[in-house]
Amino acid sequence: MIRNTRAGYGLLAIALHWTIAALVVGQISLGLVMLRVTDQRLAFDLIQWHKSIGLLILALIVIRLAWRMANPQPRPLASLRRWEKTASQAVHRLLYALLIALPLTGWALVSASVLGIPTLVFGLFLFPHLPVGVSEGGEDFWRLLHGSLGFTALALVVIHIAAALRHHFILHDGVLRRMLRPVRRTKA
Amino acid sequence: MVERFPAIAVLLFLAASVQAAAAPSLSAVVGRYSIMTPGSSLFFAVPAVGGPGITGRFDRFDGRIDIPASSVEHARVEIIIYPDSVATGQKRVDDFLKSNAVFDTANERTIVFRSTHVQRTGEDTATIVGSLTARGRTFRETFHVRLAESGRGALRFHVEGRVLRSRYGMDVGTPIYSNVVDFDMNLAFRRR
Ligand code: HEM
């Protein structure tokens, strides 16, 4: 089924989850690599990719949240303990918040930069700057925030993946599986 | 960027005949000239889509013009730019331009223009064609020159030209930043 039910995730929620997951893992790696390569030409190109992919993630997260609100939320598995439910919900909420805050702070950092480098999304269309003050200080502020959030997101992603693997390989429950297989249509 | 213009000879001639009331003869401008760094400026601009683009200048350059008595057409111009003197007012941009992405100043110390051909286009204007060498690649480039001043063993030119940076392996940032670099130069020479 395309839509979620109370019993499980639908195809669209699953597709969005894995697309965003792949993009976010790539995006964090890209962020770390692009600032550390010595080849400045490559660095410039990687940063342009990073900006485009970041904005794509923002668009997908907005769609995902809207879809989440328009769908029933699958019940937590009955086997989960109370702390597991609380912890997983907290991590999921934080991940959503970070995946909105990260593109916004990245966008702000680019907009505040005295270098004024335009953002040409995937080389296709010009993306406007945010109306933030342009200054070295402003740019440094947003850079620090963006970088810190990036490392926080990395930590959360690691926790999130570790938890999913624990459920699958140690607890042998259906937590990971239900994010892999769309829920079937139940007969009324 | 650099020009070397035999055109200059023509210009000199023009300047001589047009500007000065008592037109100096060609022999008046025959000679060897060297560029004067004070009084000369080499500005460039790279426009960007929806942004300010990059403007800058080169602070160190050499240049000479040789105008032989035999023939104005054989005048030779050579201009050498030292790209590690690039200045945009933004250290980060300067460092980027000096890096391997653009000028690669660690390996490439000069950008050289040598004139091959001059064509007069007006009373005090000419087109100068020559070979431009940057990052080991050489292409024909054309610059438009106007003789701004001449006299007492000194010459001053205003030079404009457009160069496609992709040809020299410097196409980083296109199409955000234009492939076309606009040059706007004031070059002052003094007889050696
Ligand atoms: C989910 C989306 C994003 C993630 C996970 C992310 C992650 C990161 C990470 C991990 C870094 C490296 C930080 C460091 O090593 O200090 C970084 C740097 C950067 N990000 Fe993002 N980013 C995202 C979105 C964006 C967006 C949308 C933009 C711009 C439109 C952007 C622009 C930048 C820039 C310009 C840098 C380099 C900052 C510097 O010069 O130090 N990012 N990002």
Side-chain angles (χ1 to χ4, degrees):
Chain A
M1 267 184 70
I2 301 274
R3 291 179 57 83
N4 298 351
T5 69
R6 292 288 284 160
Y9 292 102
L11 186 61
L12 188 56
I14 292 176
L16 281 167
H17 173 272
W18 291 108
T19 308
I20 292 169
L23 288 173
V24 168
V25 169
Q27 178 73 344
I28 296 176
S29 318
L30 193 51
L32 298 175
V33 168
M34 73 193 188
L35 297 178
R36 285 154 185 90
V37 292
T38 47
D39 182 339
Q40 287 305 295
R41 197 205 152 99
L42 179 64
F44 185 92
D45 290 341
L46 293 182
I47 293 174
Q48 305 319 306
W49 279 104
H50 181 82
K51 296 197 289 178
S52 296
I53 295 171
L55 292 169
L56 174 62
I57 291 174
L58 179 60
L60 289 175
I61 279 290
V62 170
I63 294 172
R64 182 162 169 194
L65 281 172
W67 185 247
R68 186 187 159 105
M69 283 184 240
N71 274 262
Q73 190 56 18
R75 277 181 239 102
L77 288 196
S79 60
L80 294 194
R81 276 166 281 178
R82 179 179 291 274
W83 74 268
E84 287 174 325
K85 284 184 205 162
T86 316
S88 63
Q89 267 176 14
V91 169
H92 297 165
R93 287 200 183 134
L94 265 172
L95 276 171
Y96 276 119
L98 281 168
L99 292 187
I100 289 174
L102 266 162
L104 290 181
T105 51
W107 186 9
L109 127 69
V110 166
S111 307
S113 172
V114 292
L115 304 187
I117 300 176
T119 300
L120 199 60
V121 181
F122 294 111
L124 296 176
F125 59 94
L126 204 57
F127 202 75
H129 286 323
L130 280 172
V132 291
V134 175
S135 69
E136 293 273 3
E139 183 179 352
D140 287 346
F141 168 79
W142 292 114
R143 174 182 293 116
L144 185 67
L145 196 57
H146 186 68
S148 315
L149 293 179
F151 285 106
T152 312
L154 175 58
L156 279 175
V157 166
V158 169
I159 292 171
H160 182 72
I161 293 173
L165 295 178
R166 169 176 172 265
H167 281 284
H168 194 72
F169 292 109
I170 298 175
L171 303 180
H172 303 289
D173 61 19
V175 166
L176 178 59
R177 233 174 296 125
R178 73 175 186 168
M179 195 39 102
L180 291 167
R181 254 181 259 137
V183 65
R184 284 167 190 262
R185 191 184 299 275
T186 44
K187 293 195 184 85
Chain B
M1 192 62 14
V2 175
E3 19 281 72
R4 129 209 196 131
F5 12 131
I8 283 155
V10 174
L11 295 175
L12 310 173
F13 189 67
L14 300 180
S17 56
V18 174
Q19 292 203 322
S25 66
L26 179 58
S27 61
V29 293
V30 162
R32 295 167 167 248
Y33 296 80
S34 294
I35 206 161
M36 296 188 288
T37 308
S40 296
S41 58
L42 275 72
F43 287 99
F44 64 87
V46 183
V49 288
I54 293 175
T55 55
R57 54 170 213 273
F58 294 103
D59 285 337
R60 285 198 302 117
F61 40 85
D62 281 330
R64 30 194 197 88
I65 309 175
D66 292 344
I67 304 168
S70 59
S71 155
V72 168
E73 278 71 36
H74 291 103
R76 308 200 66 80
V77 179
E78 178 177 74
I79 302 235
I80 299 168
I81 293 177
Y82 302 97
D84 63 353
S85 69
V86 71
T88 61
Q90 249 300 333
K91 187 180 178 307
R92 273 187 286 162
V93 177
D94 294 351
D95 290 345
F96 182 75
L97 293 177
K98 291 178 204 176
S99 78
N100 74 318
V102 187
F103 297 126
D104 193 18
T105 58
N107 300 305
E108 306 285 342
R109 307 191 55 80
T110 58
I111 296 171
V112 180
F113 179 84
R114 290 202 177 90
S115 66
T116 52
H117 181 75
V118 179
Q119 186 164 9
R120 185 179 164 179
T121 53
E123 286 194 345
D124 57 354
T125 56
T127 294
I128 300 189
V129 180
S131 58
L132 180 66
T133 304
R135 292 195 70 165
R137 303 179 198 192
T138 302
F139 291 94
R140 238 166 86 103
E141 299 292 354
T142 302
F143 290 90
H144 303 284
V145 184
R146 186 173 56 79
L147 180 65
E149 216 176 298
S150 75
R152 292 209 212 123
L155 302 168
R156 203 160 59 73
F157 300 98
H158 180 241
V159 183
E160 288 180 347
R162 315 183 90 198
V163 171
L164 293 184
R165 56 196 178 93
S166 57
R167 302 212 277 187
Y168 301 91
M170 302 180 188
D171 58 335
V172 65
T174 52
I176 301 174
Y177 290 92
S178 169
N179 188 13
V180 178
V181 185
D182 292 311
F183 284 93
D184 188 312
M185 300 171 277
N186 282 297
L187 305 179
F189 291 85
R190 178 178 289 143
R191 202 194 304 264
R192 278 183 269 168

